[in-house]
Amino acid sequence: MKHYTLITGATSGIGYELTMLFGKDNHNLILVGRDKERLKKIQQRLNEDFNIDVIILKKDLTFEDDVEEIISFVEKNNLIVDNLINNAGVGSFGYFHEVDSKKDLDMIKVNIYALTRLTKYFLQKMIDRNNGGILNVASTAAFQPGPIMSVYYATKAYVLSLTEAIQEEVREKGIKVTALCPGPVATEFQRRANVKKSELTKGYMMDAKIVARIGYKGFMNGKTLIIPGFKNKILIQSLRVLPRKFVRKIIKRVNNG
């Protein structure tokens, strides 16, 4: 039976860079994304550059059936997933009462439902083997409420809280559970979510390749929480000591463009 690393949201940004890092280290890969053509191109590149097996699955994680089909595919083909990388995520921008409800609910399906379902299924298998790792991509948004991106911030708070709790539960079982919490990253995410950040965020914008490298190293070393970038670490520490009413005002200003 072959061993694999499964990566969602593998076609761009942090997910793509993580795919390259795992591929370089000779991990067989199961890549999940919505764009089949991109998946094929990545598969071809990995096949050319590394001697690994690469499986691509065109799935949309806003659909529960697609999430179940990922699990069914792994079961049907008797694949062993050593590492689960829950990278897929979507966002939205705007006042809560103005954002379309479907957009919010689709975000919850991807950022929370799909992540939770895949984590629970594969974690149970890892516990049976006393081996494995789960990397959940959260955000520095997880550490505070986010006016004008309220649901997105709330979903990432869930991801962080869930990840830290699970890590404590399985601490003695030989399984790594890690939350990667980047700040603003130069990826397609900003465009897709129609995010219009203020000038205050420019100094915190990081390159996806750097974020992925930091996340990959921390995950492999068994870290529970990874916040890439010195400025982001300082920002999170300062937010922790400020009164929450001031934090809300600061984040609203940042998100207001």
Side-chain angles (χ1 to χ4, degrees):
M1 296 175 69
K2 284 189 175 182
H3 294 245
Y4 291 83
T5 290
L6 191 156
I7 304 176
T8 67
T11 57
S12 64
I14 297 170
Y16 171 80
E17 299 300 342
L18 285 170
T19 294
M20 291 299 132
L21 289 169
F22 277 100
K24 185 178 179 180
D25 277 355
N26 297 314
H27 290 255
N28 295 316
L29 298 170
I30 303 170
L31 305 182
V32 179
R34 294 184 295 181
D35 190 325
K36 190 169 185 178
E37 291 308 311
R38 279 194 179 186
L39 286 169
K40 286 182 177 178
K41 288 179 181 178
I42 294 169
Q43 182 185 45
Q44 181 179 358
R45 177 177 176 183
L46 289 165
N47 287 335
E48 290 173 354
D49 292 351
F50 313 114
N51 186 28
I52 59 173
D53 186 32
V54 181
I55 297 169
I56 58 173
L57 299 176
K58 180 184 179 297
K59 302 297 176 186
D60 185 339
L61 301 186
T62 61
F63 296 108
E64 294 181 18
D65 286 349
D66 279 24
V67 177
E68 294 305 316
E69 285 169 7
I70 295 170
I71 293 170
S72 296
F73 179 87
V74 170
E75 288 184 338
K76 181 180 178 180
N77 291 280
N78 295 314
L79 307 179
I80 298 175
V81 173
D82 287 330
N83 299 298
L84 169 65
I85 315 301
N86 283 308
N87 169 75
V90 295
S92 68
F93 186 83
Y95 285 91
F96 178 76
H97 65 282
E98 295 177 347
V99 175
D100 180 72
S101 289
K102 184 179 185 304
K103 183 175 287 188
D104 283 340
L105 294 175
D106 282 349
M107 191 192 322
I108 290 169
K109 289 175 184 176
V110 176
N111 296 5
I112 292 180
Y113 174 83
L115 178 144
T116 303
R117 177 70 178 112
L118 293 174
T119 295
K120 184 175 287 287
Y121 173 80
F122 287 109
L123 179 63
Q124 290 168 338
K125 300 297 183 182
M126 292 173 188
I127 289 172
D128 291 342
R129 300 193 307 270
N130 292 312
N131 181 59
I134 298 172
L135 173 63
N136 290 330
V137 179
S139 167
T140 53
F143 295 93
Q144 68 277 316
I148 312 181
M149 293 185 72
S150 56
V151 177
Y152 173 74
Y153 276 57
T155 64
K156 292 305 181 179
Y158 172 90
V159 172
L160 175 58
S161 179
L162 179 73
T163 304
E164 290 188 299
I166 293 172
Q167 192 279 331
E168 190 62 31
E169 291 177 358
V170 301
R171 180 185 294 274
E172 306 300 326
K173 298 183 183 295
I175 299 165
K176 303 187 294 289
V177 186
T178 300
L180 173 60
C181 296
V185 181
T187 68
E188 293 182 5
F189 172 87
Q190 308 286 335
R191 176 183 59 79
R192 288 174 177 169
N194 196 29
V195 174
K196 300 173 183 177
K197 297 282 190 176
S198 76
E199 294 293 318
L200 296 173
T201 64
K202 285 191 174 180
Y204 296 92
M205 191 76 71
M206 293 184 68
D207 181 77
K209 185 173 292 188
I210 295 173
V211 170
R213 188 162 59 242
I214 293 170
Y216 181 78
K217 181 179 178 180
F219 173 63
M220 288 303 182
N221 288 332
K223 292 187 67 174
T224 303
L225 176 62
I226 304 168
I227 303 173
F230 178 75
K231 289 183 178 179
N232 287 319
K233 290 183 176 69
I234 296 299
L235 174 65
I236 294 306
Q237 290 301 322
S238 64
L239 290 174
R240 283 172 169 168
V241 300
L242 286 172
R244 288 183 70 81
K245 65 178 181 180
F246 291 129
V247 171
R248 293 194 297 270
K249 292 180 184 299
I250 292 169
I251 300 302
K252 182 179 180 183
R253 182 183 174 193
V254 169
N255 287 342
N256 227 351

